[in-house]
Amino acid sequence: GMWCLGDNVDVLFDGEWYPAVICGKHANGRYDVDWGDGTGTNNVLEHHIRPKVVSPRASPSPQRQISTPASPKGWKQGDRVEAKFDDMWHPASILAANHDGTYNIDWGDGTGTENVYEEDIRRPSTLSNIPVGAAVEALFD
C-alpha cells in the first residue's frame, strides 16, 4: 500500500470524509485509522483513504478565537440585519457589539439572542427597502 504509519489522511466514513491518522497496515492492503479522539476504525479499504485536504474548515470542531479584533463589518447598535436561527435567516437588529466579536441581537418580537457569531449575521437582502417600524410578517418557528 501507499500509506505509512502516522500519515495524516482523510478517510471516507458514512459517505463523508474525515481527518484521521494511519495507525495500522495489513497484508491484504487494508489499514487501521485513528480518528484522533480516542476512537479508531480497522480494516479500512485503501480506496476509502485520500491525502489530507488542508483547509481552514477541515477541523471537525473549529476553535473559535475569543480575542477577536473589532469586527471588520462593524455592526453598530440599531443596525438592521438578518441573523441566522435554526439554519434560517430572520430579520433582526443589533442590540450590542460584544468585546469578543459577537453580537446581541433583537428579533423585533420582544425576544433576543446573545453572543451571535458574526458569520451568522448579514446585511438584509430583500428587506432593505422596508422602513424601520413597518409591520411585516416573518416566518418564525
Side-chain angles (χ1 to χ4, degrees), residues 9 13 15 27 31 33-34 39 48-51 56 59 65 73-74 85 88 94 99-100 104 111 116-117 135-136:
V9 293
F13 185 81
Y31 294 87
V33 299
D34 175 2
T39 66
H48 287 172
I49 303 172
R50 70 179 185 192
S59 148
Q65 293 297 323
K73 291 198 187 76
F85 183 81
M88 301 269 294
I94 302 290
H99 293 300
D100 62 0
N104 298 351
T111 66
V116 176
Y117 290 107
V136 294

Side-chain angles (χ1 to χ4, degrees), residues 1-48:
M2 57 187 284
W3 302 109
C4 302
L5 298 189
D7 279 354
N8 283 305
V9 293
D10 286 342
V11 176
L12 189 62
F13 185 81
D14 273 353
E16 299 272 342
W17 292 93
Y18 296 96
V21 176
I22 302 287
C23 63
K25 209 170 171 178
H26 297 276
N28 62 5
R30 294 183 177 221
Y31 294 87
D32 301 338
V33 299
D34 175 2
W35 299 113
D37 60 0
T39 66
T41 301
N42 294 339
N43 292 309
V44 177
L45 293 166
E46 186 164 15
H47 66 266
H48 287 172

Side-chain angles (χ1 to χ4, degrees), residues 35-82:
W35 299 113
D37 60 0
T39 66
T41 301
N42 294 339
N43 292 309
V44 177
L45 293 166
E46 186 164 15
H47 66 266
H48 287 172
I49 303 172
R50 70 179 185 192
K52 185 171 186 60
V53 174
V54 180
S55 80
R57 299 193 172 276
S59 148
S61 52
Q63 295 299 312
R64 299 205 187 267
Q65 293 297 323
I66 297 304
S67 59
T68 327
S71 144
K73 291 198 187 76
W75 301 117
K76 297 185 303 299
Q77 185 174 350
D79 281 353
R80 309 277 297 175
V81 295
E82 289 179 359

